[in-house]
């Protein structure tokens, strides 16, 4: 097991400073055991370093002969506390010496997921993933900042397509994540998609063709203030909303998925009470996060035509594929013809075949008003779905499944997302009516 490379110490732009290049790393090992000494209390002149190479008692003694104190022993490495001069002397012995960031304070340690769930990405870690993906794949991935959260965090968007720097005339797709703070698995869904699309472009034929012919927008966290608040104490707070104070009350937080401007507050599917978990805010788009995303989507209207044709908004939990409207039990309603309803249902059922979720109209779950799905369809004509990810019920961990499930439960949606991308040029193909609707 490598040494804590992926630990929270290495996030947020902290870099590992290499003092001396490794000469050789021994290929043999000893069974040194976990001889952790008391952590030395370092004064300002002392720093912590990782030393790769020393594998025997003699070699470790040579390290301590420099004056460095060994804090921990691994099979072929040690952790030391040393002055810069001592660290250099250790490097002169032929070992790779890397400075470690200072240990986190109590407060810093708390500002993160519990250690057993460190596989989840906090907001700094998500930002680092986005920046890395974009830096490593400049031709097919571009980052945009589409606005700020209430507390001032960036609302990021990543565009994935061939010629990502050019606005080409290709069907566009919207994937949104984490409107609800505690639904952290949806951020991992975004990370999975970012890595999969960029990593498999050029090798996986289907992904290559889809990126060549569509423009995909991934908005990996619509509610960063809420996500960070949910984990800020080091244990989960069960938080759902954003962190904006209500104008009329002391309570904080608007439910972003009740704040969208189509039939906002119409139908008993949201609350006017600021302390409620489904508080809709004082007006549609009163939440800066919703306003920024709505402005972004409106900005995708080119020559009078909305470029985005289809989208998924990721939530947890329930293992459901949902489609609009949520504000009414009726299938058809103003702005929703039978063909349009049937297209939603057919696409939803197609996606549910591969991920095993239950497909249904969103009001079959319960009435919601001011949801993103209703706005994307009712206001912008975008075929729009909500995925409620793993688990199916509270048994699997509710909103907080262990990080061990992340690989299986994100890749589970791979086919469904690709199937939606397939249909982005003509969603009505799903009901065999491309001739009627897609200028066939
Ligand atoms: O209530 C919600 O906002 C979503 N469920 S959650 O448990 N993640 O909070 C469901 C929204 C479904 N409604 C529409 N898509 N209209
Ligand atoms: Ca774990
Ligand atoms: Ca393109
Ligand atoms: Ca375009
Ligand atoms: Zn949700």
């Amino acid at each position: 097991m490598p040494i804590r490379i992926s630990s929270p110490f290495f996030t947020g732009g902290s870099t590992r400073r290499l003092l001396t290049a490794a000469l050789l790393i021994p290929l043999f090992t000893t069974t040194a055991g976990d001889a952790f000494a008391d952590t030395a209390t370092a004064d300002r002149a002392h720093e912590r370093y990782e030393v790769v190479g020393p594998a025997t008692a003699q070699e470790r003694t040579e390290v301590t002969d420099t004056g460095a104190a060994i804090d921990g022993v691994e099979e072929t490495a040690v952790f030391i506390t040393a002055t810069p001069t001592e660290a250099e002397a250790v490097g002169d012995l032929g070992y790779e010496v890397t400075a470690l960031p200072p240990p986190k304070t109590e407060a810093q340690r708390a500002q993160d997921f519990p250690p057993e769930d460190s596989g989840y990405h906090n907001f700094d870690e998500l930002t680092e993933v986005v920046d890395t993906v974009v830096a490593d794949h400049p031709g097919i991935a571009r980052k945009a900042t589409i606005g700020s959260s209430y507390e001032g965090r960036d609302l990021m968007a990543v565009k994935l397509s061939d010629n990502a720097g050019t606005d080409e005339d290709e069907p566009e797709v919207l994937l949104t994540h984490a409107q609800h703070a505690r639904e952290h698995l949806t951020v991992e869904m975004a990370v999975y998609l970012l890595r999969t699309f960029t990593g498999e472009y050029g090798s996986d034929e289907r992904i290559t063709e889809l990126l060549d012919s569509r423009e995909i927008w991934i908005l990996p966290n619509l509610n960063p203030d809420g996500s960070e608040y949910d984990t800020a104490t080091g244990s989960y707070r069960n938080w759902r909303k954003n962190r904006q104070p209500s104008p009329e009350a002391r309570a904080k937080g608007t439910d972003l998925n009740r704040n969208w401007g189509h039939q906002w507050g119409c139908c008993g599917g949201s609350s006017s009470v600021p302390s409620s978990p489904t508080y809709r805010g004082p007006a549609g788009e009163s939440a800066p996060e919703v306003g920024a995303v709505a402005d972004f989507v409106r900005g995708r209207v080119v020559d009078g035509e909305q470029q985005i044709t289809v989208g998924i908004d990721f939530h947890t939990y329930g293992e459901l594929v949902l489609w609009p409207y949520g504000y009414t039990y009726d299938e058809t309603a103003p702005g929703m013809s039978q063909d349009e309803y049937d297209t939603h249902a057919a696409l939803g059922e197609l996606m549910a075949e591969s991920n095993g979720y239950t497909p249904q109209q969103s009001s079959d779950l319960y009435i919601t008003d001011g949801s993103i799905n209703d706005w994307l369809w009712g206001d912008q004509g975008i075929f729009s779905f909500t995925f409620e990810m793993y688990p199916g019920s509270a048994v699997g961990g509710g909103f907080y499944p262990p990080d061990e499930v992340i690989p299986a439960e994100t890749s589970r949606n791979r086919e469904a997302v690709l199937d939606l991308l397939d249909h982005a040029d003509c969603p009505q193909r799903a009901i065999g009516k491309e001739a009627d609707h897609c200028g066939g």
Side-chain angles (χ1 to χ4, degrees):
M1 238 255 236
I3 303 156
R4 304 186 58 109
I5 297 297
S6 62
S7 89
F9 286 147
F10 293 100
T11 64
S14 50
T15 51
R16 318 179 80 212
R17 281 172 288 146
L18 203 61
L19 292 183
T20 308
L23 290 182
L24 96 170
I25 296 171
L27 294 172
F28 53 91
T29 60
T30 65
T31 49
D34 282 324
F36 277 77
D38 286 336
T39 305
T41 35
D43 64 40
R44 240 172 249 293
H46 288 75
E47 289 188 54
R48 296 166 61 252
Y49 302 86
E50 175 194 335
V51 183
V52 175
T56 66
Q58 284 84 350
E59 287 169 340
R60 288 189 288 272
T61 303
E62 282 172 30
V63 170
T64 58
D65 283 347
T66 66
I70 291 183
D71 302 328
V73 175
E74 310 241 331
E75 279 188 306
T76 61
V78 294
F79 293 98
I80 62 170
T81 299
T83 65
T85 312
E86 291 161 355
E88 228 179 293
V90 174
D92 289 344
L93 295 172
Y95 300 126
E96 183 186 337
V97 180
T98 307
L100 300 173
K104 287 190 170 183
T105 65
E106 190 79 21
Q108 287 169 326
R109 238 192 334 272
Q111 195 71 35
D112 203 355
F113 284 89
E116 66 272 21
D117 279 340
S118 63
Y120 284 93
H121 291 76
N122 66 27
F123 189 64
D124 282 349
E125 290 163 347
L126 172 65
T127 304
E128 193 163 304
V129 167
V130 166
D131 290 345
T132 302
V133 159
V134 167
D136 289 352
H137 306 276
I140 55 166
R142 292 290 173 106
K143 174 181 171 178
T145 300
I146 63 164
S148 295
S149 66
Y150 178 79
E151 291 177 347
R153 293 182 177 86
D154 281 354
L155 300 174
M156 298 182 280
V158 182
K159 179 184 168 187
L160 302 175
S161 187
D162 67 329
N163 308 313
T166 310
D167 185 5
E168 298 189 301
D169 187 12
E170 298 169 345
E172 299 186 19
V173 176
L174 180 70
L175 303 173
T176 50
H177 303 254
Q179 281 201 86
H180 289 146
R182 62 194 167 193
E183 300 172 11
H184 302 286
L185 189 60
T186 67
V187 171
E188 304 312 313
M189 188 68 222
V191 169
Y192 168 81
L193 291 172
L194 288 167
R195 288 181 170 157
T196 299
F197 284 133
T198 55
E200 297 187 24
Y201 181 81
S203 59
D204 182 280
E205 197 181 338
R206 192 173 177 203
I207 284 180
T208 307
E209 280 176 13
L210 286 170
L211 253 67
D212 282 348
S213 59
R214 278 100 179 89
E215 296 183 308
I216 306 163
W217 297 99
I218 297 182
L219 278 54
N221 191 342
L222 265 47
N223 184 9
D225 299 351
S227 306
E228 290 289 280
Y229 178 78
D230 192 51
T231 55
T233 62
S235 55
Y236 299 119
R237 275 171 150 150
N238 209 28
W239 190 253
R240 169 180 173 93
K241 302 185 285 181
N242 75 353
R243 292 296 296 158
Q244 179 181 19
S246 118
E248 331 82 86
R250 221 183 279 279
K252 277 195 182 187
T254 295
D255 182 352
L256 300 185
N257 208 29
R258 299 294 183 277
N259 190 241
W260 296 80
H262 186 76
Q263 299 285 16
W264 174 82
C266 69
C267 302
S270 59
S271 175
S272 63
V273 178
S275 60
S276 164
T278 55
Y279 176 52
R280 67 176 82 101
E285 297 187 23
S286 58
E289 297 85 356
V290 171
V293 178
D295 282 346
F296 168 75
V297 172
R298 283 186 286 259
R300 298 317 306 143
V301 175
V302 177
D303 294 334
E305 195 184 342
Q306 175 55 257
Q307 300 296 296
I308 301 170
T309 58
V310 294
I312 301 172
D313 185 46
F314 287 92
H315 289 253
T316 69
Y317 58 95
E319 299 185 356
L320 304 169
V321 174
L322 306 174
W323 54 84
Y325 285 121
Y327 77 85
T328 172
Y329 295 117
D330 295 340
E331 294 188 354
T332 61
M336 179 76 84
S337 70
Q338 192 66 50
D339 272 5
E340 290 161 347
Y341 180 86
D342 291 345
T343 298
H344 275 101
L347 280 173
E349 283 158 13
L350 173 67
M351 292 191 284
E353 269 173 38
S354 62
N355 64 15
Y357 294 0
T358 302
Q360 60 188 20
Q361 186 178 346
S362 84
S363 53
D364 289 348
L365 192 60
Y366 44 77
I367 293 285
T368 55
D369 48 45
S371 76
I372 188 173
N373 282 168
D374 285 9
W375 183 81
L376 286 173
W377 177 257
D379 205 79
Q380 297 292 313
I382 295 168
F383 286 90
S384 170
F385 299 87
T386 289
F387 278 20
E388 297 280 1
M389 295 176 68
Y390 180 89
S393 73
V395 174
F399 292 110
Y400 300 107
D403 61 0
E404 284 77 9
V405 310
I406 292 171
E409 295 302 333
T410 53
S411 61
R412 179 176 180 173
N413 287 314
R414 177 191 176 108
E415 283 296 308
V417 170
L418 295 182
D419 285 344
L420 189 67
L421 291 174
D422 275 340
H423 285 84
D425 61 325
C426 181
Q428 289 90 344
R429 192 187 311 120
I431 56 167
K433 292 200 172 180
E434 57 267 58
D436 292 354
H437 297 282
C438 304

